[in-house]
């Protein structure tokens, strides 16, 4: 099982990351998720600034991946989260999960994203034409993560 | 001495990313109380948001015990992904 967790300013290439995971001979399924900067404020979003907690971030993401590994039979996981200033439509985050069969890959990818959203120390600040403001956490994200703990 | 870090809106409004606290406290909650008594600014900002905390870089409840030499981070709910 290969785990790769990266927090970086630079962009990433989905095809390269996919190839790396797909090389594993026992891998029968790869699920990838990519999150992008979208215009969520009825027009006028220029970009996002992503702050994080250096040191803790990598550890928190690794803990989440290890928890996923306990729940499903996985062959490889890659998590990349970008930080710094990101313009509209740029890639923010990528989760790729390789496993023997699709169900584990789909579930683990979803689990990792739900936990990342509520446990990993990242904060978004929106830059709009009218100014800047910090994004508030959504109750729906909290509920999505809690559903997994009830299934445990 | 406990190192206290602030992030996101809290860091911005306090105008401070890190501070040292030398006080006899046993939990993060008590540490927050000590900060609130230190200045009006702390009192106001630490009450403004739902507060999350990490102790030695692990996300934990505010009731978590702390000791000399620990790194405590205080921040609003996370919004990554």
């Amino acid at each position: 099982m290969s785990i790769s967790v990266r927090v970086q300013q630079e962009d990433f290439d989905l095809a390269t990351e996919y190839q790396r995971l797909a090389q594993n001979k026992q891998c029968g399924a790869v699920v990838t998720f990519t999150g992008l900067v979208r215009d969520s404020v009825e027009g006028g979003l220029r970009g996002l600034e992503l702050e994080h907690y250096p040191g803790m971030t990598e550890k928190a993401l690794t803990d989440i991946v290890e928890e996923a590994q306990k729940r499903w039979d996985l062959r490889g996981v890659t998590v990349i989260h970008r930080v710094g200033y990101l313009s509209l439509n740029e890639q923010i985050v990528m989760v790729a999960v390789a496993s023997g069969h699709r169900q584990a890959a789909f579930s683990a990818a979803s689990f990792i994203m739900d936990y990342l959203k509520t446990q990993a120390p990242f904060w978004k600040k929106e830059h709009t034409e009218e100014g800047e403001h910090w994004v508030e956490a959504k109750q729906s994200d909290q509920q999505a993560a809690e559903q997994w703990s009830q299934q445990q | 001495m406990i190192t206290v870090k602030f992030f996101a809106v809290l860091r911005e409004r306090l105008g401070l990313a890190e501070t040292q606290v030398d006080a006899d406290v046993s939990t993060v909650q008590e540490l927050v109380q000590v900060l609130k008594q230190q200045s009006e600014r702390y009192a106001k900002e630490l009450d403004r948001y739902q507060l999350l905390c990490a102790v030695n870089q692990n996300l934990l409840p505010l009731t978590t015990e702390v000791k000399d030499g620990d790194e405590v981070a205080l921040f609003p709910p996370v919004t990554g992904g």
Side-chain angles (χ1 to χ4, degrees):
Chain A
M1 160 89 183
S2 68
I3 295 177
S4 178
V5 168
R6 279 172 274 162
V7 179
Q8 61 188 45
Q9 201 146 21
E10 315 85 71
D11 200 5
F12 51 82
D13 179 49
L14 194 57
T16 308
E17 302 305 331
Y18 166 79
Q19 283 301 337
R20 247 171 29 86
L21 282 177
Q23 271 169 13
N24 186 315
K25 296 213 165 32
Q26 289 169 313
C27 166
V30 180
V31 165
T32 67
F33 169 84
T34 316
L36 310 172
V37 179
R38 74 186 162 106
D39 194 351
S40 54
V41 285
E42 293 126 37
L45 186 92
R46 287 180 176 156
L48 287 180
E49 200 179 309
L50 264 144
E51 179 171 330
H52 78 120
Y53 183 174
M56 177 177 169
T57 317
E58 294 80 356
K59 183 175 152 16
L61 293 174
T62 305
D63 288 349
I64 294 167
V65 172
E66 282 171 358
E67 181 60 35
Q69 201 185 342
K70 279 187 216 156
R71 293 175 178 232
W72 295 281
D73 186 15
L74 307 177
R75 301 283 173 257
V77 178
T78 302
V79 179
I80 304 174
H81 203 300
R82 295 179 68 197
V83 291
Y85 187 82
L86 303 174
S87 301
L88 196 57
N89 220 239
E90 276 196 76
Q91 303 189 115
I92 306 174
V93 59
M94 191 203 86
V95 171
V97 179
S99 67
H101 302 280
R102 73 181 186 284
Q103 206 49 57
F106 274 126
S107 299
S110 185
F111 171 90
I112 291 168
M113 271 312 297
D114 286 344
Y115 268 64
L116 182 155
K117 285 221 161 234
T118 54
Q119 314 262 306
F122 293 102
W123 300 272
K124 287 189 189 114
K125 190 188 205 181
E126 288 180 337
H127 289 234
T128 73
E129 275 157 25
E130 271 130 44
E132 301 169 2
H133 64 267
W134 291 95
V135 173
E136 279 182 35
K138 290 194 204 85
Q139 193 58 37
S140 57
D141 287 335
Q142 195 61 45
Q143 284 160 355
E146 278 165 14
Q147 274 172 15
W148 291 108
S149 58
Q150 282 155 15
Q151 282 175 31
Q152 201 170 22
Chain B
M1 203 75 94
I2 295 170
T3 302
V4 186
K5 290 173 177 262
F6 304 104
F7 288 96
V9 68
L10 202 54
R11 169 187 57 74
E12 209 172 68
R13 284 182 171 268
L14 289 170
L16 188 69
E18 189 176 319
T19 188
Q20 304 282 329
V21 177
D22 188 10
D24 189 21
V25 293
S26 58
T27 65
V28 178
Q29 246 160 3
E30 285 179 29
L31 176 72
V32 171
Q33 287 311 317
V34 166
L35 286 170
K36 282 184 186 172
Q37 282 157 15
Q38 263 182 29
S39 76
E40 272 200 29
R41 192 168 218 184
Y42 277 132
K44 193 172 147 199
E45 299 304 334
L46 292 171
D47 258 346
R48 193 190 288 267
Y49 321 93
Q50 186 200 335
L51 211 53
L52 298 190
C53 83
V55 178
N56 298 325
Q57 307 193 344
N58 290 300
L59 192 64
L60 291 164
L62 287 157
T63 48
T64 304
E65 288 186 13
V66 287
K67 58 182 188 315
D68 204 41
D70 280 349
E71 177 178 300
V72 174
L74 299 172
F75 44 80
V78 299
T79 55

